[in-house]
Every structure is written in structure tokens, then in C-alpha cells.
Amino acid sequence: MPRILLKTDDHARDSAGLRYVYPVLSRRAGGISIGINLNPNNACNWHCIYCQVPNLTRGGPPPIDLALLEYELTTLLNSISQGSLIIDHNSPSHPSNGLHSLRDIAFSGNGEPTSAAEFPLAVSLVHNVLHAHGLDQQVMLRLITNGSLLDRRSVQAGIERIGNASGEVWFKVDSASTTGLALINGTHIKTETVSRRLTRCAALAPTWVQTCLFKLDNTLPTEDEITHYLALLAPIAKQLKGVHLYSLARPSLQKEAPRLMRLDAEYLENIAQRIRQLGLIVQVNA
């Protein structure tokens, strides 16, 4: 495998020339992350206006070739151990600590990973590969999800396996209002549904909320939006590990891209302080 240059502002899914597996330099993970892309057809059940996936379409993934996934993950892990990854130290907002460490294997990719019928099997497969490499106690197993399919028993089973493997879930909550969810994520669900699914997720595996804030049409998130967001978190704060609060790091590839603008660290920190008043840990990445 050729050497691969990693940057925080470039999370290309094809950087390693593989179908399901790709390495990235992650600000929030604090180092190298191996992504598992169960949506290689760029299909998702949501349409987030800040999404960096090219040619994003609505839908679910094709059947997953689990044997190929296992081969690709094993190949990439072996390649990393041989020093195939190069870190760009000039990359914007690059992690300053543990930069060369493999931090996690994350189910993320180009759509909602839990929409794959093979999701629970893929979780077990990845954990087994980590164990075979002696990494299951060193490398975190993560799921990055919009939480929309938490009512499925198969999805719950996969998340429970992540919890049993000492892994964790990053659960997307960009808005806590019906209007905001429709505008930002392209989904028509009620806030009560988000709260119920988030609560269920936290009971199955350690769960962080991940929230992306930004200016839309040069306008900050409204006070009403922030108030609704805090109200959603407050009743279940003790059940959560914390909140990953961040703004745009890479350009959106959706039609709404010209309407979006990154927020500065000071604004995010002000919102983080309000979240911390709920008793939650907040990690900020501007």
C-alpha cells in the first residue's frame, strides 16, 4: 500500500484505495482514526446541509461484503504498523497530543452506518480483527450515528456489542427543534423522538452527543434553538458521557454550502459553558 498523507481538513474515503476502510486525522478523536464506510454508494437517510459527501443521495447501502471488509481492515492495520501514514503537521487544527497514535476504529463513512443490514455483524467482525492484532484494549471502537434507526432491534444489538467491547457512540444532535432538524438535517422527526432514541442509546453503550454549530445565511443559531437544545439534554445529562461541540472543519459539498459559515472558538466556548452548567463534560473543536 502506498504512503498516505493525512490532514484534518481532508477525510477522503478513498485515500487508501479501499472500498470500506479509510484512515483520517481526526480532531475529535485526537489522532489517527480508521473509518468504516458501510455506505460506499454515498446514500444516507438524512441530508445534512454541511455534509462533505459528494453526490449524496437518499437511501441505504448495498449489501456489505464482510469478507472484503475484514481483508481491507487487516491490510490497513498491517500497513499502519509498517509506517505507511504521514501526518501533515501544517494541517489546520491538527491534534497536538498523541498525533501519531491510532485512536479508534469508527463506523462513520458516507451515510448512516446503522442502515446496513449487516451492521451488528460488522461490529463483531471489527472487534475480532482488533483482538487478533492485540489492539482491542488500546483502540476504541466507535459508532458515529444520527440515531434515526435506534428503534430497530438489530441496531440496538450492534450498539450493545460496541458497549460490551468498551466502545462508545457519538450521537448527532445538531438541533432540538422540529424546524431545525428539518432545515439542518433534512429529517422530519419530533424532539421527543430524538430524546427517546438518545436515552435508549445511552443505556446500551457509553454515549457522547456530537453537535455541529455554524452560521446559516450569516446568522448565528437563535437563542430559541440553544434553549431547546439545552432542554433536550438536561433530563438525560447524567446518562451521557458528554458533548462534542464543534463547527465546520471541511467544506460542505451540498448545494447549501454557500450559505454556511464557520463559528469561532469564543462563540463555541460560550455555548459550552452553558452546557457544562447541566453537569456535562464538553469538548470544543472550533
Side-chain angles (χ1 to χ4, degrees):
M1 181 177 295
R3 304 189 79 185
I4 303 168
L5 179 65
L6 298 183
K7 303 179 180 181
T8 55
D9 57 354
D10 183 2
H11 283 192
R13 310 305 197 226
D14 59 355
S15 61
L18 305 173
R19 179 170 177 80
Y20 297 119
V21 181
Y22 61 97
V24 299
L25 183 60
S26 171
R27 297 180 303 158
R28 281 173 285 151
I32 297 169
S33 173
I34 293 179
I36 304 294
N37 181 17
L38 299 183
N39 304 77
N41 59 342
N42 296 1
C44 188
N45 62 343
W46 282 18
H47 178 94
C48 299
I49 59 177
Y50 57 79
C51 184
Q52 299 96 24
V53 174
N55 304 312
L56 182 69
T57 60
R58 293 275 190 170
I64 305 302
D65 185 337
L66 292 172
L68 179 59
L69 171 59
E70 181 176 13
Y71 170 78
E72 289 187 347
L73 180 56
T74 300
T75 298
L76 183 57
L77 285 173
N78 290 337
S79 183
I80 290 173
S81 69
Q82 296 165 9
S84 67
L85 302 185
I86 304 171
I87 305 299
D88 182 0
H89 293 276
N90 295 317
S91 185
S93 304
H94 72 74
S96 57
N97 297 316
L99 193 60
H100 299 282
S101 299
L102 176 57
R103 296 297 189 184
D104 70 11
I105 294 184
F107 286 90
S108 180
N110 289 5
E112 172 52 39
T114 65
S115 62
E118 300 84 356
F119 169 67
L121 294 175
V123 171
S124 296
L125 183 155
V126 170
H127 184 247
N128 289 340
V129 172
L130 279 175
H131 180 73
H133 282 75
L135 296 172
D136 50 327
Q137 301 300 317
Q138 304 172 37
V139 177
M140 174 76 73
L141 185 60
R142 287 193 171 102
L143 165 67
I144 300 176
T145 179
N146 60 31
S148 61
L149 303 176
L150 251 296
D151 296 329
R152 293 183 180 179
R153 290 186 178 180
S154 61
V155 172
Q156 294 175 14
I159 293 175
E160 187 173 26
R161 291 176 191 179
I162 290 174
N164 290 339
S166 300
E168 62 185 25
V169 178
W170 292 359
F171 189 114
K172 179 195 299 289
V173 182
D174 296 321
S175 174
S177 73
T178 302
T179 301
L181 287 162
L183 179 63
I184 297 171
N185 305 122
T187 184
H188 299 283
I189 55 176
K190 296 180 179 179
T191 304
E192 293 80 6
T193 302
V194 176
S195 177
R196 173 174 54 78
R197 290 171 175 167
L198 178 57
T199 302
R200 179 58 176 159
C201 187
L204 295 168
T207 300
W208 290 79
V209 167
Q210 61 162 13
T211 301
C212 183
L213 297 182
F214 47 86
K215 285 185 179 180
L216 179 61
D217 297 325
N218 205 32
T219 302
L220 291 168
T222 66
E223 178 58 29
D224 189 55
E225 275 288 330
I226 300 301
T227 300
H228 276 86
Y229 176 80
L230 295 172
L232 182 146
L233 295 181
I236 56 176
K238 292 182 179 179
Q239 301 173 53
L240 301 172
K241 286 198 68 176
V243 174
H244 289 292
L245 187 65
Y246 61 104
S247 192
L248 306 174
R250 301 175 300 282
S252 168
L253 295 181
Q254 309 313 309
K255 64 181 182 180
E256 297 89 352
R259 303 172 58 193
L260 311 181
M261 186 179 298
R262 184 175 181 174
L263 294 174
D264 60 35
E266 182 179 1
Y267 177 87
L268 290 177
E269 186 56 37
N270 287 337
I271 301 299
Q273 290 293 355
R274 297 176 67 177
I275 300 172
R276 291 184 183 115
Q277 291 176 5
L278 302 177
L280 282 162
I281 296 169
V282 184
Q283 296 184 359
V284 178
N285 289 107

